[in-house]
């Protein structure tokens, strides 16, 4: 019976391998000398240590310790600004309420659209049944403005042809005085009269609009008295200058046509406004207010 410790005859002959041995070394040399896990190299093959660095105890890093203080200061500043804004908002609200109680309307400037200077909002300010009439009056205002602009162009052409600089200066004065004057003296009173149904504002409009119509008639004729004749593009200056320059004469005749058209529109406006004024009983109210004002002035 075979001994249980005998070699298995079916096992292949295998050489015992030391995992720590270095096989690249020649036979007879110890594995510990060949670089095993516990092998210590020669002292000469060690790396030289790094030179010691001096410890700097004096260069310190500044760490801000007052961040919380800055945050508190900023928070206080923001709260102060919020309180100031709230105070201003309350003051503005108080003024708006006081103005509303007193009947004062704060109007937003919206005209002209590219550079707002005045408040002008016919669809929202004027009653529906008066909007058409107000639009016609507004076209009359734009018409006199365009007439005075064309007057400057025509007089400039006459000045270039040798008529003198005096007529050009007068044309500029007509424009600078006529456009704001028309708005303040008769268009704005009519606008407010349509909004508030005030008889006094209607009376103010009639007075200055009649002056406006008289100026348009005078400018369409442009006689030589009262104003220097060629400073306005009327029919008489047009006949005078067309003999010297056909182009300037045509400019003057076009200006004459503009003033005639403006006169017709203005007559139509005052007729319609007067019909509405009489139809609503504002004429009698105006007479009563005028008589009351005269009595107060007398006493």
């Amino acid at each position: 019976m075979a001994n249980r410790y005998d070699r298995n005859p079916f096992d292949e002959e295998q050489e015992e391998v030391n995992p720590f041995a270095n096989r690249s070394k020649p036979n007879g040399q110890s594995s510990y000398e060949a670089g095993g896990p516990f092998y210590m190299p020669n002292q000469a093959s060690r790396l030289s240590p790094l030179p010691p660095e001096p410890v700097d105890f004096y260069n310190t890093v500044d760490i801000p310790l007052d961040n919380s203080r800055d945050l508190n200061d900023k928070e206080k500043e923001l709260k102060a600004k919020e309180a100031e804004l709230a105070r201003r908002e309350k003051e503005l609200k108080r003024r708006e309420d006081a103005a509303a109680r007193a009947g004062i309307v704060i109007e937003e400037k919206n005209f002209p659209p590219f550079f707002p200077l005045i408040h002008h909002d016919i669809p929202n300010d004027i009653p529906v049944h008066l909007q058409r009439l107000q639009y016609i009056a507004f076209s009359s205002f734009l018409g006199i403005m365009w007439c005075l602009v064309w007057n400057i162009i025509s007089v400039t052409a006459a000045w270039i042809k040798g008529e003198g600089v005096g007529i050009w200066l007068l044309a500029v004065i007509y424009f600078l005085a006529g456009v704001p004057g028309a708005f303040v003296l008769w268009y704005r009173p009519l606008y407010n009269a349509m909004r508030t149904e005030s008889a006094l504002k209607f009376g103010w409009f009639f007075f200055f609009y009649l002056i406006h119509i008289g100026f348009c008639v005078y400018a369409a004729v442009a006689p030589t008295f009262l104003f220097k004749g060629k400073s306005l593009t009327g029919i008489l200056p047009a006949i005078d200058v067309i003999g010297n320059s056909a182009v300037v004469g045509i400019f003057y005749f076009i200006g004459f046509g503009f003033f005639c058209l403006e006169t017709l529109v203005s007559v139509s406006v005052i007729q319609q406004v007067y019909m509405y004024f009489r139809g609503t009983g504002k004429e009698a109210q105006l007479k009563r207010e005028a008589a009351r004002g005269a009595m107060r002035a007398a006493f």
Side-chain angles (χ1 to χ4, degrees), residues 81-285:
K81 289 182 179 179
E82 290 179 359
E84 180 66 18
L85 289 176
R87 187 188 65 80
R88 291 183 179 180
E89 185 177 358
K90 289 181 181 179
E91 180 66 18
L92 181 60
K93 181 67 175 175
R94 186 187 64 80
R95 292 182 179 180
E96 290 179 353
D97 293 342
R101 288 192 299 267
I104 301 173
V105 180
I106 300 176
E107 299 176 339
E108 181 183 359
K109 297 178 180 180
N110 59 353
F111 185 81
F114 56 87
F115 188 69
L117 294 174
I118 59 174
H119 174 79
H120 187 264
D121 192 2
I122 293 177
N124 295 323
D125 293 341
I126 307 301
V128 177
H129 63 285
L130 296 176
Q131 289 182 5
R132 179 178 176 275
L133 180 56
Q134 188 64 42
Y135 276 119
I136 297 175
F138 184 59
S139 66
S140 175
F141 170 72
L142 295 179
I144 189 62
M145 183 170 64
W146 174 246
C147 287
L148 295 176
V149 170
W150 185 262
N151 186 71
I152 292 177
I153 296 173
S154 303
V155 173
T156 302
W159 174 32
I160 294 173
K161 292 297 182 178
E163 292 295 336
V165 69
I167 59 173
W168 182 83
L169 292 175
L170 287 175
V172 173
I173 292 173
Y174 300 156
F175 176 80
L176 295 178
V179 175
F183 180 83
V184 173
L185 295 177
W186 60 263
Y187 181 74
R188 195 66 180 177
L190 178 63
Y191 190 91
N192 293 329
M194 295 293 190
R195 292 176 64 181
T196 61
E197 299 289 333
S198 173
L200 286 177
K201 288 184 174 63
F202 273 109
W204 186 276
F205 161 76
F206 286 128
F207 177 76
F208 285 102
Y209 203 66
L210 287 173
I211 296 176
H212 160 76
I213 294 175
F215 172 77
C216 291
V217 173
Y218 179 88
V221 180
T224 55
F225 64 90
L226 191 61
F227 294 101
K228 197 170 184 178
K230 294 181 182 179
S231 62
L232 291 169
T233 55
I235 184 65
L236 296 180
I239 295 173
D240 189 12
V241 299
I242 198 170
N244 300 327
S245 175
V247 175
V248 177
I250 292 173
F251 274 43
Y252 270 68
F253 273 110
I254 294 175
F256 162 70
F258 284 151
F259 277 115
C260 290
L261 182 61
E262 174 65 17
T263 302
L264 294 177
V265 173
S266 299
V267 171
S268 174
V269 169
I270 199 170
Q271 285 179 345
Q272 295 183 50
V273 173
Y274 184 70
M275 289 174 62
Y276 170 77
F277 180 73
R278 290 196 62 183
T280 54
K282 294 293 187 300
E283 184 178 9
Q285 181 182 353

